[in-house]
Amino acid sequence: MPVIQPLKGSTDAPATYKQPSRKGKKAWRKNVDVTEVEKGLEELNEEIIKGGVLAERPSDELFVVDTAGDAALPKKFPKHTSKPLKADEIIAARSAVPAPPSRKRPGDKTTDGILPEKRPRREYVTHKELNRLRKVADGLHETTIEVADATYDPWGAGTKPESQAIIEDKRNEKKKAPKSISKKPVSLLASGKTPKAVPKPTGGFSYNPAFTDYEARYTEESNKAIEAERKRLQEEEADRLKKEAAARSAAEAEAAEARAELSEWDEDSEWEGFQSGGEELKVNAKRPERKTKAQRNRIQRRKEEERRKIHETKTKVRRAQLEEIKRIAKEVSERELERKLAVANIEDSESSADDNDETLRRRQLGRMKLPEKDLELVLPDELQDSLRLLKPEGNLLKDRYRSLLIRGRVEARKRIPFKKQAKTKLTEKWAYKDFSI
């Protein structure tokens, strides 16, 4: 920093007593007192020469914290320095009387409105205590030790104590874990792969996506919505046709029943007059002739031939079924082996698939259905160019729960908030009405 030097020449203030007039600017400037400014500049120069400006230097260079004290003070004032402080004496004192508790105690005259319990007077000796004292005086108190002669020889042969039978506890206190705890969870994807816990979103999920990514995702979601609507309309049409067919069949059944009743009534009316005359006629039926031995043998041979053909047909069908069962069992074993190899390869490679484009193995899980994935799609007119204008989409809790279901970590269950309790019926007894005078 350059050293500022004062101006050369006289440092005294300009003389004003010779000034005839003070009305002009020049006369006013001559009267300005610059002694304080010059004095401050001189002090600043001296501080710079001595090591720097005091106002700009840190406190560590200007001050020192004295933690030891002056060693000459005890010698100078021995009377005052050797005496300990009163505060130290109070802190060091330890009284034998315990300190009063900090808990507030109600005063003797202050009450809470509840009458105190009457306690029996204990200034006198009760009969029970008097009887106990009399027994003690007679030597019959409970703690009396009766002296008896020893019935065994302490220096004789020691008697072995009888071994008590050890009762073994055969109960198995160890809690058994379920068998499924050692098995890996089964994924619900059709490919059998384990999806990621938190799938990585594609470019179409961005708040400011690229046109190609957004168009592909928009088209895919539109096709899904169209397909779902088409299936819904087909189901409605099938239900309508089923109801119409049921109504048509019911109408036809009623019409057929009405025609049957009418035809029965017509037949009864037509044949009503002819029944009496026909009953008198007797039909001479020809009695069947007795079969010969040759006819009976022929009939028996024909029946045996029929039974043999039926047995051969059944045997042939049974053999074909056995061959079909063997073929199906072989296919199932091969398919199971292929599935195990695929699962092993998946586990070895530790590959995880995303469930965005994968089809699920099954949708129905008992009575509870797998929750559908929320549609997180923003329409073209709702796209924003700023994060501040974005609206929150989706639910993180639902996504995590659905991920646990798909990965097989949790099974879908219906929450039972409380178990069924037995219904109780409250009745009022009438015993209070029964009184006697």
Side-chain angles (χ1 to χ4, degrees):
M1 182 176 180
V3 179
I4 302 174
Q5 296 180 354
L7 298 175
K8 296 180 179 180
S10 177
T11 59
D12 298 335
T16 59
Y17 60 90
K18 293 181 181 180
Q19 183 73 25
S21 175
R22 298 180 184 177
K23 291 184 180 180
K25 255 184 191 180
K26 295 180 180 179
W28 175 79
R29 285 177 181 172
K30 287 182 181 180
N31 295 329
V32 174
D33 190 6
V34 293
T35 55
E36 291 184 1
V37 177
E38 292 176 353
K39 188 177 180 182
L41 291 175
E42 290 176 359
E43 292 178 357
L44 182 62
N45 286 335
E46 290 177 0
E47 290 178 2
I48 291 172
I49 291 169
K50 291 179 181 180
V53 184
L54 294 177
E56 296 178 355
R57 295 174 69 181
S59 301
D60 298 340
E61 298 179 2
L62 300 176
F63 304 101
V64 177
V65 180
D66 187 7
T67 57
D70 193 357
L73 283 178
K75 298 178 182 179
K76 201 181 245 187
F77 306 100
K79 182 179 178 181
H80 298 284
T81 55
S82 61
K83 186 179 179 181
L85 296 176
K86 190 66 177 177
D88 296 338
E89 292 180 359
I90 294 172
I91 291 173
R94 291 292 181 267
S95 177
V97 180
S102 60
R103 182 173 57 85
K104 294 183 179 180
R105 295 184 177 181
D108 297 338
K109 297 181 180 180
T110 306
T111 61
D112 53 358
I114 301 174
L115 295 176
E117 183 182 357
K118 292 183 179 181
R119 297 180 179 177
R121 296 175 61 186
R122 296 297 184 187
E123 287 81 3
Y124 60 92
V125 180
T126 59
H127 291 284
K128 185 177 181 181
E129 186 68 16
L130 183 60
N131 293 333
R132 191 184 68 79
L133 293 174
R134 284 176 180 174
K135 289 181 179 180
V136 171
D138 296 338
L140 299 176
H141 51 83
E142 298 176 356
T143 58
T144 303
I145 300 174
E146 296 181 359
V147 180
D149 297 334
T151 57
Y152 66 94
D153 186 6
W155 289 275
T159 58
K160 294 183 180 180
E162 297 180 358
S163 60
Q164 298 180 357
I166 300 173
I167 301 174
E168 296 181 358
D169 189 5
K170 296 183 179 180
R171 294 177 298 175
N172 189 7
E173 297 294 339
K174 186 179 179 181
K175 294 183 179 179
K176 295 182 179 179
K179 296 180 180 178
S180 59
I181 198 171
S182 60
K183 299 179 181 178
K184 293 185 178 180
V186 180
S187 174
L188 296 185
L189 295 183
S191 61
K193 299 179 180 179
T194 303
K196 293 181 180 178
V198 181
K200 186 178 180 181
T202 57
F205 287 86
S206 175
Y207 77 98
N208 190 10
F211 178 74
T212 54
D213 298 340
Y214 181 77
E215 184 183 13
R217 184 161 179 269
Y218 186 77
T219 306
E220 181 183 358
E221 297 296 340
S222 302
N223 294 336
K224 288 182 181 178
I226 292 170
E227 186 66 21
E229 183 66 18
R230 186 179 61 79
K231 287 183 179 180
R232 188 184 66 81
L233 294 177
Q234 287 180 356
E235 291 177 358
E236 289 183 357
E237 184 67 18
D239 293 341
R240 187 183 64 80
L241 294 176
K242 187 176 180 181
K243 291 179 180 179
E244 289 181 358
R248 194 182 303 110
S249 62
E252 291 178 356
E254 290 179 359
E257 187 176 355
R259 286 196 301 270
E261 291 179 356
L262 183 62
S263 62
E264 288 178 0
W265 184 80
D266 292 341
E267 289 177 358
D268 293 344
S269 61
E270 288 177 359
W271 291 94
E272 188 174 355
F274 296 94
Q275 295 294 334
S276 58
E279 288 176 356
E280 297 176 356
L281 298 176
K282 292 182 180 180
V283 180
N284 296 325
K286 187 177 181 180
R287 295 179 64 182
E289 297 180 357
R290 189 173 181 179
K291 292 184 176 64
T292 60
K293 182 71 172 176
Q295 290 177 348
R296 286 197 295 271
N297 293 338
R298 196 181 302 115
I299 292 171
Q300 188 175 1
R301 286 194 300 272
R302 182 173 52 82
K303 288 182 178 180
E304 288 178 357
E305 185 68 18
E306 291 177 357
R307 282 196 293 269
R308 186 181 61 79
K309 288 183 179 180
I310 292 171
H311 178 68
E312 290 179 356
T313 305
K314 288 182 178 180
T315 305
K316 191 182 295 184
V317 171
R318 193 177 295 109
R319 287 176 182 173
Q321 289 177 353
L322 289 175
E323 295 294 333
E324 186 69 16
I325 289 171
K326 290 180 180 178
R327 187 183 62 79
I328 293 173
K330 187 176 180 181
E331 289 181 359
V332 169
S333 61
E334 292 177 356
R335 199 176 303 166
E336 186 70 18
L337 183 60
E338 291 177 358
R339 189 186 67 81
K340 288 182 179 179
L341 291 175
V343 171
N345 293 333
I346 292 170
E347 291 177 355
D348 293 340
S349 60
E350 295 181 356
S351 61
S352 59
D354 191 4
D355 63 332
N356 291 331
D357 301 329
E358 294 285 340
T359 56
L360 297 179
R361 179 162 50 88
R362 57 179 181 178
R363 288 280 182 174
Q364 188 77 15
L365 295 174
R367 295 184 179 179
M368 297 298 295
K369 292 184 178 180
L370 183 69
E372 295 291 340
K373 192 175 182 180
D374 294 338
L375 179 60
E376 300 175 4
L377 180 65
V378 182
L379 297 178
D381 55 347
E382 296 177 355
L383 287 173
Q384 304 293 341
D385 56 352
S386 174
L387 285 173
R388 296 180 179 178
L389 301 177
L390 281 179
K391 295 181 181 179
E393 297 286 343
N395 191 333
L396 187 59
L397 181 61
K398 290 183 179 179
D399 294 345
R400 297 293 296 139
Y401 177 65
R402 189 172 184 276
S403 175
L404 290 174
L405 291 178
I406 291 176
R407 287 182 293 149
R409 302 300 177 91
V410 180
E411 58 178 341
R413 286 186 179 181
K414 186 176 181 181
R415 182 177 174 272
I416 302 175
F418 53 87
K419 63 180 181 180
K420 279 190 175 182
Q421 296 181 353
K423 293 183 179 180
T424 57
K425 185 177 181 181
L426 300 177
T427 58
E428 184 181 2
K429 290 187 177 181
W430 285 46
Y432 68 93
K433 293 186 178 182
D434 301 335
F435 60 89
S436 59
I437 300 174

